[in-house]
């Protein structure tokens, strides 16, 4: 992989983190996945729900050009962590996998140098979007690892 082209490497890193954040929910009960261990609304299940929302924002809104309203997405990152009574490990994981599949299809025919214009802050390259998503996924995987350690220590 170190000698693969840039796109192949970026795709591989994003897929690695997509899987890693899902793995943090393995073998947990619904209660454990929802357990709030920090002062914010951050929970393991909420993190997966947030990264699902985040990827939909970057790939479906920014790259695909469909507004959050049209996509049925909450408006802010803080709202994206909030769990409803209907959210389960299975349902949030399924939504994450669907968002990932949609993201893959959305970018399949685009080069990293393609300029995408769907973000409200203005145009950017697909490469920038990839790096932003990778940064967010890595950041939240770290949070999820720590929360999982805390949940399992109880």
């Amino acid at each position: 992989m170190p000698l693969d082209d840039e796109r192949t490497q970026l795709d591989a890193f994003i897929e690695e983190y997509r899987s890693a954040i899902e793995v943090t929910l393995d073998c947990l009960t619904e209660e454990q996945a929802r357990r709030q261990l920090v002062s914010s609304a951050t929970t393991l299940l909420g993190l997966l729900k947030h990264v699902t929302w985040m990827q939909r924002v970057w790939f479906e809104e920014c790259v695909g050009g469909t507004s959050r309203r049209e996509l049925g997405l909450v408006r802010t990152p803080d709202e994206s962590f909030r769990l409803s009574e209907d959210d389960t490990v299975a349902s949030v994981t399924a939504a994450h996998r669907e968002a990932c599949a949609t993201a893959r299809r959305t970018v399949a025919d685009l080069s990293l140098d393609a300029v995408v214009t769907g973000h409200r802050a203005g145009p950017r390259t697909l490469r920038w979007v990839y790096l932003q998503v990778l940064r967010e996924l890595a950041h939240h995987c770290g949070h999820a690892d720590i929360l999982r350690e805390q949940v399992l220590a109880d």
Side-chain angles (χ1 to χ4, degrees):
M1 181 167 129
L3 299 179
D4 287 340
D5 66 273
E6 180 183 20
R7 177 67 173 266
T8 300
Q9 291 179 45
L10 288 170
D11 282 333
F13 282 128
I14 286 175
E15 292 301 331
E16 180 180 339
Y17 283 114
R18 284 172 170 162
S19 295
I21 199 154
E22 284 189 16
V23 166
T24 63
L25 294 170
D26 280 359
C27 302
L28 297 183
T29 66
E30 295 294 331
E31 184 277 327
Q32 288 173 316
R34 289 173 163 273
R35 192 174 297 164
Q36 192 172 340
L37 298 166
V38 293
S39 60
S40 70
T42 305
T43 63
L44 282 166
L45 192 58
L47 279 168
L48 185 59
K49 189 171 183 177
H50 168 72
V51 299
T52 300
W53 174 87
M54 175 271 299
Q55 291 182 83
R56 293 194 68 199
V57 165
W58 288 114
F59 292 116
E60 296 176 45
E61 179 182 40
C62 181
V63 177
T66 306
S67 73
R68 290 178 200 191
R69 186 178 48 71
E70 291 173 283
L71 292 168
L73 296 176
V74 295
R75 293 178 346 137
T76 67
D78 287 345
E79 292 173 279
S80 71
F81 284 91
R82 293 191 192 125
L83 299 172
S84 73
E85 287 185 21
D86 295 337
D87 288 326
T88 64
V89 171
S91 70
V92 174
T93 300
H96 180 250
R97 290 178 181 170
E98 183 179 326
C100 293
T102 300
R104 287 183 207 102
R105 286 190 303 274
T106 301
V107 300
D109 296 329
L110 298 174
S111 78
L112 290 175
D113 294 322
V115 175
V116 295
T117 59
H119 196 269
R120 62 182 178 247
R124 56 212 60 229
T125 64
L126 182 60
R127 178 179 288 101
W128 188 96
V129 171
Y130 263 70
L131 293 171
Q132 174 65 19
V133 168
L134 184 57
R135 178 173 68 173
E136 287 245 9
L137 286 169
H139 180 76
H140 292 307
C141 278
H143 293 150
D145 285 341
I146 292 167
L147 288 178
R148 182 176 172 87
E149 282 182 33
Q150 290 179 312
V151 164
L152 293 176
D154 285 348

